[in-house]
Amino acid sequence: MNQLKSREPGSVALPGTLSAPLRAELIAFRRDLHMHPELGNQEFRTTAAVKARLEAAGLAPKVLPTGTGLVCDIGTWDRGRPMLAIRADLDALPIPDVKTVPYRSTVPSRAHACGHDVHTTTVLGAGLVLAELDRQGLLPNAVRLIFQPAEEVLPGGAADVIEAGVLDGVGRIIAVHCDPKVDAGRIGLRPGPITSACDRLEVTLGGPGGHTARPHLTTDLVTAAARIAVDVPALLARRVDARSGLAVTWGRIEAGHACNVIPQHAELSGTVRCLDLPAWREAPDLIHAAIDEIATLHRAKSTITYVRGVPPVVNDPVIAELLRDAMTVRRGAEQVEDTEQSLGGEDFSWYLEHVPGAMARLGVRTPGDTTRRDLHAGDFDVDERAIAVGVELFTAAALLDAAPRL
């Protein structure tokens, strides 16, 4: 087991690399998932495909009580030694796939535009490799695979998965998220917060409408909605520390049907994002107060629906270093780059409310490609060489995580 103590690439070979046939199989598996995307809590086909492949490897995955998603333990769990968990998410997005590729989505208005098909495939691949290492007596401690449904559905499927007990016996948890700004073959890391909090905000305004010739006899909801859209973000900028990054961004404003009629109803919806955990906890009260002030000024009645989403993902420094060590052993220290905190939300954060963990950004951009791609876009795709990188990162982390306790 001395080889598990290596931290430098090439010094002693660490087991758990991928064979060429397994690489090809995993690429085919990912493409199959990509062609058959399923929305949150509807991932029945995806769950069945993962379950069948794990069972074919001699493992015993269990479907979660929600009916989608799985948990699968590899190795013999010593109850005195908490397990490392590796998490993937299964769901796709309700947007059309506009790519021209053989594995384009076959489901109208559904696409794996966030890379969850890659996340699922890397964790599956890691499970297959770790199962083989366990058969060879090379897996020092049990590892738990978590295939989670509904990451894209606020407040995220992680809460249901945690309630089902998937963290019982788990001491640490790791994951990756595809990043189209990082080259395939590399990962991005940072200790501390790596994503933002993300909540959903819905505002309904009501009041007597009327003719646009007599706005003084009405509640001008179009103006009220416009002022809320502009002034709420401005007020928040003066009521919270600017370093908290609290931001309200509107995605929809709807009011009226005719040019000469002031409507009786208006709606706004958007997201609330925040870089700072304490400010995120204060956000609902601050935003309610700001909206009510502006609505009152315009004599509009406001109804506010504030849906809690997810807190920031805050990487544990020790586990972030474990991922750095794992990548260093596999690919070299130069393949790890420092990354910024994203304003995107990720429900992996809910696991970190219970156990320490870390998420890495998995590079999926083809080196040299200058095409600008982003997550949640219909043309999103990945350089599939990233799959092997993710698998080998996870397997190295599992082996190195156990090494200090040998």
Side-chain angles (χ1 to χ4, degrees):
M1 290 296 191
N2 290 334
Q3 71 265 33
L4 300 186
K5 298 188 181 294
S6 169
R7 290 293 195 275
E8 295 299 326
S11 55
V12 180
L14 193 71
T17 56
L18 269 70
S19 65
L22 183 54
R23 286 174 187 252
E25 179 191 350
L26 292 176
I27 288 173
F29 190 90
R30 177 258 167 175
R31 292 185 176 192
D32 178 71
L33 296 185
H34 200 85
M35 292 174 67
H36 301 92
E38 297 173 300
L39 299 184
N41 294 316
Q42 300 173 26
E43 311 95 331
F44 297 103
R45 184 185 185 278
T46 305
T47 296
V50 175
K51 181 174 182 286
R53 186 61 185 91
L54 291 172
E55 288 177 339
L59 298 170
K62 298 178 181 177
V63 176
L64 295 169
T66 54
T68 61
L70 310 98
V71 61
C72 182
D73 289 353
I74 303 171
T76 303
W77 178 30
D78 176 352
R79 292 183 177 273
R81 299 168 64 189
M83 285 181 280
L84 176 74
I86 309 175
R87 174 268 199 171
D89 37 14
L90 302 175
D91 55 328
L93 286 160
I95 63 176
D97 188 344
V98 300
K99 300 186 300 299
T100 304
V101 293
Y103 48 88
R104 179 177 174 175
S105 171
T106 61
V107 184
S109 299
R110 302 286 185 268
H112 269 296
C114 200
H116 294 190
D117 53 337
V118 174
H119 305 166
T120 298
T121 303
T122 58
V123 176
L124 171 64
L128 299 178
V129 173
L130 291 171
E132 179 58 31
L133 292 178
D134 185 48
R135 283 189 286 272
Q136 298 173 24
L138 293 175
L139 184 62
N141 195 29
V143 174
R144 176 166 292 165
L145 311 180
I146 299 172
F147 297 90
Q148 175 210 307
E151 190 276 332
E152 298 288 355
V153 182
L154 288 179
D160 291 333
V161 172
I162 293 166
E163 187 176 348
V166 300
L167 293 180
D168 295 346
V170 169
R172 302 180 180 194
I173 188 167
I174 57 175
V176 296
H177 198 294
C178 290
D179 190 335
K181 299 186 297 297
V182 177
D183 283 350
R186 300 173 64 84
I187 64 168
L189 270 177
R190 65 176 283 130
I194 192 171
T195 71
S196 164
C198 181
D199 299 334
R200 189 174 79 242
L201 178 62
E202 305 280 348
V203 181
T204 300
L205 301 175
H211 201 294
T212 56
R214 291 175 287 280
H216 59 291
L217 300 179
T218 72
T219 294
D220 187 350
L221 293 185
V222 174
T223 298
R227 295 316 314 176
I228 286 173
V230 173
D231 292 346
V232 167
L235 281 174
L236 291 174
R238 294 296 178 267
R239 295 183 180 181
V240 296
D241 190 326
R243 292 170 295 184
S244 70
L246 180 61
V248 173
T249 305
W250 304 104
R252 183 180 69 91
I253 301 177
E254 186 173 334
H257 300 283
C259 67
N260 60 346
V261 178
I262 294 174
Q264 301 178 51
H265 183 82
E267 296 180 354
L268 303 91
S269 59
T271 59
V272 180
R273 298 183 188 272
C274 187
L275 301 176
D276 179 70
L277 194 56
W280 175 70
R281 290 181 174 134
E282 296 176 7
D285 290 340
L286 291 169
I287 291 170
H288 270 80
I291 292 171
D292 284 342
E293 287 177 27
I294 298 166
T296 299
L297 181 65
H298 291 275
R299 298 179 298 171
K301 181 180 179 181
S302 62
T303 302
I304 303 167
T305 302
Y306 193 106
V307 180
R308 269 303 195 195
V310 293
V313 172
V314 181
N315 280 348
D316 180 89
V318 173
I319 304 176
E321 192 63 23
L322 170 67
L323 290 173
R324 184 179 296 273
D325 284 348
M327 191 64 175
T328 297
V329 169
R330 293 296 192 204
R331 304 274 169 155
E334 69 278 4
Q335 301 306 317
V336 182
E337 61 183 65
D338 295 332
T339 191
E340 62 187 8
Q341 184 178 3
S342 165
L343 280 169
E346 234 292 349
D347 77 352
F348 184 70
S349 55
W350 290 123
Y351 298 99
L352 306 187
E353 297 282 301
H354 300 270
V355 296
M359 170 174 278
R361 301 199 189 285
L362 180 67
V364 296
R365 179 179 62 192
T366 299
D369 184 0
T370 59
T371 304
R372 184 175 180 179
R373 302 187 191 280
D374 202 1
L375 303 169
H376 290 214
D379 64 347
F380 175 76
D381 204 356
V382 305
D383 185 322
E384 292 171 319
R385 289 174 289 185
I387 294 171
V389 176
V391 172
E392 294 185 0
L393 174 72
F394 285 143
T395 56
L399 296 173
L400 293 175
D401 178 61
R405 298 197 277 271
L406 294 178

